[in-house]
Amino acid sequence: MSGAAPTDPLPIRLAGLARVELRDPLFISDLHLAAAAPATLARFLRFCEEEATAHAELLILGDLFEYWIGDDTLDDEADAVSRRAAAALRALTGRGVRVYVMHGNRDLLLGAGFLRATGAQLLADPAVASIGGREVLLAHGDAWCTQDVEYMRFRATVRQEATQRQFLSGPRAARLAFVGAARARSESGKQAKAMEIMDVTPSAVDEALRASRQRLLIHGHTHRPAAHRFLLDGEPAERWVLPDWDFDARPPRGGALGVHDGELVSVPLAA
């Protein structure tokens, strides 16, 4: 399976699609696929063979993987998770389903090699989708967690060209060690933060909707699935938060978002 090539641009330099036309989409995010979650990986592989094949498009709005240290991951025979997930997406695109992927905060280094291997297309964050004449703003969502000052500082750093170039040029073992330490710090830091700090800031969401001239939003990241309906500048607005997946938990959880008769609908997924 083809991974990174010497001539590939840095992930931050990839031009994601800012607008897409959709016919019959499914939206998912925050699967956090990893070797430590085999049931979640198995459910994703089945999802690609079953539910996703019944739709024209699959949109993954970030954090498909728990971490991604570079596209050379796909050349590592020992990394069954990335190779099996990529193969499932390649089979899906081979069946004519258009797959779109957006960078999350955990897999922002998904690059050109991953796109080649899967046949997926990269979405900008945010992007606007048109579904049957109705437009919706799509995002991962972490850019609006502005009350978490420490995270926002980290987010800005890892999205710099120099940072990505330095990280990706390092040996695989060093990259894995760095990610492991960063994840440990993140989990430890969460214990000391109020839940509201780690959620999106309502005013930041409002500004994003105003700037895009949209009143409908789909995002992930927060692991707080819900449909929020509110007024923005006197107009009705909706914010749909995608569910995270954890089929290794008890009880298992996971789901998707689809469209029926022009309206967004939650799509529960049985274990």
Side-chain angles (χ1 to χ4, degrees):
M1 184 171 288
S2 176
T7 56
D8 284 343
L10 292 171
I12 195 66
R13 297 291 295 172
L14 292 174
L17 298 171
R19 299 189 70 91
V20 289
E21 297 280 340
L22 305 176
R23 182 167 56 86
D24 179 25
L26 268 184
F27 300 91
I28 59 174
S29 75
D30 298 279
L31 280 66
H32 296 272
L33 299 179
T40 304
L41 173 62
R43 188 61 182 90
F44 173 68
L45 300 179
R46 180 155 64 92
F47 173 83
C48 288
E49 294 177 349
E50 297 177 0
E51 290 92 349
T53 60
H55 293 261
E57 303 97 5
L58 172 64
L59 294 93
I60 306 169
L61 301 189
D63 285 357
L64 173 61
F65 297 98
E66 173 67 4
Y67 62 87
W68 191 262
I69 63 169
D71 288 349
D72 57 350
T73 295
L74 294 169
D75 299 322
D76 184 354
E77 294 289 345
D79 194 328
V81 173
S82 62
R83 295 173 67 85
R84 294 180 70 189
L89 291 175
R90 167 53 73 181
L92 193 58
T93 57
R95 297 181 67 167
V97 178
R98 288 190 293 164
V99 175
Y100 300 93
V101 62
M102 181 179 286
H103 286 138
N105 55 296
R106 299 297 187 101
D107 54 14
L108 77 161
L109 293 178
L110 290 173
F114 177 81
L115 300 177
R116 285 193 301 270
T118 60
Q121 299 180 72
L122 182 67
L123 283 176
D125 183 4
V128 174
S130 177
I131 311 171
R134 189 182 188 190
E135 292 193 340
V136 52
L137 185 66
L138 309 176
H140 179 56
D142 64 317
W144 301 323
C145 296
T146 56
Q147 295 183 76
D148 192 343
V149 177
E150 180 182 2
Y151 170 71
M152 296 304 291
R153 188 181 300 117
F154 173 79
R155 185 181 189 278
T157 300
V158 297
R159 282 165 172 74
Q160 294 176 4
E161 289 190 39
T163 302
Q164 292 195 358
R165 183 176 294 107
Q166 180 180 18
F167 180 83
L168 291 171
S169 66
R172 180 172 175 80
R175 284 179 275 154
L176 282 169
F178 177 88
V179 167
R183 290 166 64 201
R185 287 195 301 270
S186 174
E187 292 304 313
S188 176
K190 287 179 182 178
Q191 306 303 316
K193 294 178 181 177
M195 291 299 294
E196 291 75 15
I197 291 178
M198 294 184 287
D199 202 350
V200 296
T201 305
S203 59
V205 170
D206 291 350
E207 286 305 313
L209 287 169
R210 289 190 186 101
S212 62
R213 298 183 179 180
Q214 304 301 321
R215 292 297 182 267
L216 178 59
L217 166 65
I218 300 172
H219 73 84
H221 180 64
T222 65
H223 299 198
R224 296 182 176 186
H228 302 272
R229 295 177 174 85
F230 56 101
L231 290 178
L232 177 61
D233 301 330
E235 299 179 5
E238 296 179 32
R239 177 171 69 91
W240 289 72
V241 186
L242 294 168
D244 63 309
W245 288 30
D246 190 348
F247 286 89
D248 294 86
R250 292 293 177 268
R253 65 179 184 272
L257 194 64
V259 178
H260 182 70
D261 290 337
E263 298 296 326
L264 294 175
V265 291
S266 294
V267 180
L269 298 176

